[in-house]
Amino acid sequence: MDKLPTHNEVVVARLRPRARRRWNVKYLSLLCLCGIYLTTRSTSRVVFVHDEPASLPAHAQEALHQCKMLSVKPGPPDNFHQRSQSDRFVKGTPPTLLRNASVWTGDSAGYELRDVDILLDKGIIKFVGQGHQGLLHGYSNLVTIDVGGKWVTPGIVDMHSHLGVDSLPSLAGSSDTNSLKGPILPWLRSLDGLNTHDDAYRLSISGGVTTANVLPGSANAIGGQAFVIKLRPTTERSSSSMLLEPPYTINDTQVDPTLPPRWRQMKHACGENPGRVYGNTRMDTFWAFRQAYDEARKLKEKQDDYCAKVFAGRWDGLGDFPQDLRLEALVDVLRGRVKVHVHCYEAVDLDDFIRLTNEFHFPLAAFHHAHEAYLVPDTLKRAYGNTPAIALFATNARYKREAYRASEFAPRILAENGIDVVMKSDHPVMNSRYLLYEAQQAHYYGLSADLALSSVTSVPAKVLGLDHRIGSIREVIYSRSDLVIWDSHPLAIGATPTQVWIDGISQLQNPYVSAKPLAFQTAPSTPNFDEEAAAAIKYEGLPPLSTTSPTTNVVVFTNVGSVFSKIGMEVQQVFSASSAGLGVAIVKAGELICYGPHTTCLDYVTPNEVEWSDLDGGSICPALISYGSPLGLEEIHEEKSTRDGVVLDPLGDRIPGVLNGSEVIRAVDGLLFATRDALLAYRAGVTSAVTAPASEGLVAGLSTIFSTGAAHGLQAGAVIQDVAALHVSISHRWSGSPSVSTQIAALRNLLLHSNEGTPFDQAAKGKIPLIVETANVDVIVSLLKLKAQVDINTGSSIRLVISGAAEAHVLSKELAAAGVGVIVSPSRPFPEDWQSRRILPGPPLTNDSAISTLLDHGVTVGIGILEPWSARSTRFDIAWAALESDGKISEAQALALASTNLEKLLGATAQGDLVVTRGGTILDFEAKVVGIISQSRGLLEWI
């Protein structure tokens, strides 16, 4: 039985009177019972029939209520929008009036409102529109904020988060994301592990995130129940007080019989994760799903049979309602009362799960990750009941095989097929503070502006069944009250909140604001990627990434907006379009031979011998360098056969005798060329990478510099520099690993007592840079002391560079005085563990960022990345660094962060590659990389 039968009649047995008094009591009891039943908003009619006497059980009333409610779908009460106060209102919160706002509503009926006022009071929005004095009558303590035309949006909704269960800083005592007690665990609840002291709450709020769906992890096929939370701190300080619309009685299976139930959330997972954890194949995982749902279906049928007897008045021997606490949530799934969120990547898994929904007749809320969903839209539409939404990363991909065919064009392709798109963080996999950046990237690669913003506001709210609560700003009375004011258009790179309201309560105390250009108040006009999107589908996620050559040896670029060039070891802007108009630039045989106003370069070309290219206000600048990830040493991180592997560590491993004299490994010997991440980086203007051997211990080895666009190692210019620097890492790693003090002692010994000419001897004497990967300020102090000791001993100066450096800003003055450089990696620091918890988060929480602070003190700073897929986004990382500096970092200085500064720090030979962009500079969301100029190879390549 798939669902309860429809009962238009409630049949209640009439008892035959034996004594008038007893009959009256029973008759009155029956009348009361029927009256109570009729108040449950049913249109059923009561029919009395003559039957044999039967005693009415004490639980009859409860049974009728319970059975009736089984067919009621979740949702808000009918009078929800007539409320005058939110159930989350905090007494004493003053009413707030926002004046002169540009509002992005999240409502498809009209996404934008201009010059409007918003009144917040008692935890809800009481007015949106053109305010008048009468509206404010009676508000004596009103807080008024003139928004000045800036953008106001609904609070950001993260539909896939592990906030509170995978807490920051990461500690063994607060790791509650996954249970390993079996693949099917629907009875587990993320609420029961929700840590109220997660440092990420405050950071995420500072990025405009107000609501998160806290999911169990993906180790299990069914990982358990998820709970939606508001991120603000509460006076109660409990996990339960953070919940948004949980079941009325959290620790019971019953609901209030006078109200419709509330939506529940549940996490499922298929593919590699549960298979890897339990040693199962996909066949095993889906058999586990089918077993679990078959068991749940049997329980549901018992419940339905029970309720059929209740409605028929067949009370004899009926007993209690059939329940099983292990299965009740899955039964609710089968009744369509649970939003099921499924971690699934590949077409095979998506198809498997679609078939599962049709076998057991239950709807899906969303597939998460779903890297191949854009390839199978018709399959998705065959899901039972409705087409699930797809929750995606923007560019995070290729970290395992099932993510290998991911495409940055997936959001637009899915939207074009009428499928709802959600951008999510999977926090802490991605820092949810920057969830909006995922939507910005989706917009950059072709998702419309309104759908991009909807993907982190109104769409996830709808998918969660909470769009009556969150996700939009509507011109209706008593609406939602989570709002964000942005310093620029929310789709502009670097957009940052100036204030955030959750439940009508402001969250940022004395926020810091960086001035943004006026143009940033408009959504960026992003490039056209139609051909690339079509190719992604045609080649099933693996389109060719080759370049082409011009038809002639000379190319003239017209409508050039700016030119940046290396002057010595610095980046300078050498041309900027003036009021007289845009300029030209001429490239011949891979060399930029002229740039400037049109009249300047006319004598350099013969019109019939050139190829012309209109840059539409674009730019030419030095190419970027990638540092910090295993780019060029792996193709798919989780597939060992596609990686160089991990080097042996002298502190933790027995080094075989065959390596005597060659204990320090060279990355150049393990390079893998033409990986997709390298080629994508090349197409984004990152033409070279510095890569060190992968290590889990103290000594990594010698890094190399290679061309990201090279096809193989023997191609001219493929290996730019065999050896760049010596790399070590000092940190707390795992229980039983050598202590930090032991690691420092070992490094001291290696620097002071290594044989002449060995890598550590060369580093001690300043002949090659020594790059130390560490986040912690205390470790950095020890390294500064060690440098001073070694410098005295050798009479030289170690070229020490701190990489990672989350807490390096604390020692900005000391680092500058010691001549120690810093590579901040990632460029927007994240307090992932105890060693990196003292970050400088930047606006709106602090006036300065780590990068701007270090630069202010004269430290040479570069930026790095952690994973190869993010190399392509280096251009946006440096743009962000400049935009949040409040004008302290110029465009030229931003470019230096990923070019000349890295060359200085890493001992890299200066590169002459240039990047050509159309539509703006390489720092702009409006710009697209269209060409690479390689002076060393004497050519220009079209992207």
Side-chain angles (χ1 to χ4, degrees), residues 554-558 584 602 605-608 610-614 942:
V554 179
V555 176
V556 178
F557 294 104
T558 61
V584 299
L602 291 178
V605 298
T606 302
N608 295 331
V610 302
E611 184 173 332
W612 298 81
S613 179
D614 183 353
W942 295 123

Side-chain angles (χ1 to χ4, degrees), residues 610-668:
V610 302
E611 184 173 332
W612 298 81
S613 179
D614 183 353
L615 292 190
D616 190 23
S619 181
I620 299 174
C621 70
L624 306 180
I625 302 170
S626 180
Y627 168 80
S629 79
L631 186 67
L633 290 177
E634 67 178 39
E635 178 81 351
I636 304 172
H637 180 75
E638 294 293 338
E639 296 290 339
K640 292 183 178 180
S641 65
T642 73
R643 300 162 48 195
D644 174 53
V646 177
V647 301
L648 298 173
D649 180 60
L651 278 181
D653 299 303
R654 181 175 178 274
I655 307 299
V658 71
L659 287 177
N660 286 341
S662 301
E663 294 91 346
V664 180
I665 304 302
R666 305 190 323 159
V668 68

Side-chain angles (χ1 to χ4, degrees), residues 159 389 420-422 451 453-464 471:
M159 201 173 80
D420 284 337
V421 173
V422 173
L451 291 182
L453 287 177
S454 296
S455 73
V456 291
T457 54
S458 55
V459 173
K462 179 184 72 172
V463 174
L464 291 168

Side-chain angles (χ1 to χ4, degrees), residues 190-441:
S190 66
L191 170 63
D192 297 325
L194 189 67
N195 178 10
T196 59
H197 303 295
D198 190 337
D199 286 355
Y201 292 134
R202 175 171 173 262
L203 293 172
S204 296
I205 290 171
S206 76
V209 180
T210 59
T211 306
N213 185 29
V214 180
L215 294 157
S218 54
N220 307 299
I222 301 180
Q225 300 162 48
F227 285 79
V228 179
I229 64 170
K230 291 289 192 81
L231 271 56
R232 69 170 175 85
T234 66
T235 54
E236 186 180 308
R237 298 188 179 92
S238 70
S239 303
S240 296
S241 65
M242 301 176 71
L243 298 180
L244 177 63
E245 286 207 357
Y248 288 104
T249 305
I250 294 172
N251 291 310
D252 198 285
T253 59
Q254 308 300 314
V255 297
D256 186 332
T258 67
L259 294 171
R262 290 168 165 177
W263 283 108
R264 306 172 73 177
Q265 317 287 329
M266 184 177 287
K267 174 70 176 291
H268 289 28
C270 48
E272 293 184 28
N273 282 21
R276 182 171 61 251
V277 170
Y278 293 102
N280 288 339
T281 66
R282 282 174 166 81
M283 294 182 290
D284 296 313
T285 298
F286 271 89
W287 173 241
F289 277 129
R290 295 182 69 212
Q291 275 188 312
Y293 273 106
D294 188 54
E295 192 175 356
R297 178 168 56 185
K298 291 174 182 176
L299 177 58
K300 174 181 177 292
E301 290 172 350
K302 289 180 181 179
Q303 293 176 351
D304 292 347
D305 289 344
Y306 177 95
C307 288
K309 294 176 182 178
V310 167
F311 290 130
R314 294 158 54 193
W315 300 104
D316 287 342
L318 191 58
D320 293 329
F321 183 78
Q323 295 195 77
D324 184 335
L325 200 56
R326 296 179 310 108
L327 293 174
E328 59 86 19
L330 282 188
V331 173
D332 258 5
V333 170
L334 297 179
R335 296 194 186 282
R337 295 147 66 103
V338 180
K339 298 289 188 176
V340 179
H341 302 266
V342 188
H343 161 120
C344 253
Y345 282 77
E346 290 188 88
V348 58
D349 300 314
L350 299 169
D351 184 54
D352 285 346
F353 214 95
I354 295 298
R355 284 188 279 103
L356 187 74
T357 70
N358 284 296
E359 180 180 3
F360 291 95
H361 292 191
F362 66 91
L364 293 182
F367 281 119
H368 292 236
H369 304 306
H371 281 52
E372 292 187 15
Y374 72 101
L375 296 173
V376 290
D378 292 336
T379 298
L380 302 175
K381 293 176 182 179
R382 291 201 299 269
Y384 179 82
N386 60 270
T387 301
I390 305 298
L392 300 163
F393 294 129
T395 55
N396 187 352
R398 292 170 293 283
Y399 43 88
K400 53 184 175 178
R401 192 195 67 85
E402 61 188 6
Y404 191 62
R405 294 177 184 267
S407 173
E408 61 270 37
F409 308 111
R412 64 168 284 178
I413 294 169
L414 288 163
E416 288 165 356
N417 280 275
I419 296 173
D420 284 337
V421 173
V422 173
M423 306 308 295
K424 44 81 177 165
S425 73
D426 195 9
H427 179 96
V429 172
M430 303 283 285
N431 183 354
S432 65
R433 179 184 178 186
Y434 302 112
L435 175 55
L436 183 62
Y437 179 46
E438 296 297 294
Q440 291 170 349
Q441 292 176 88

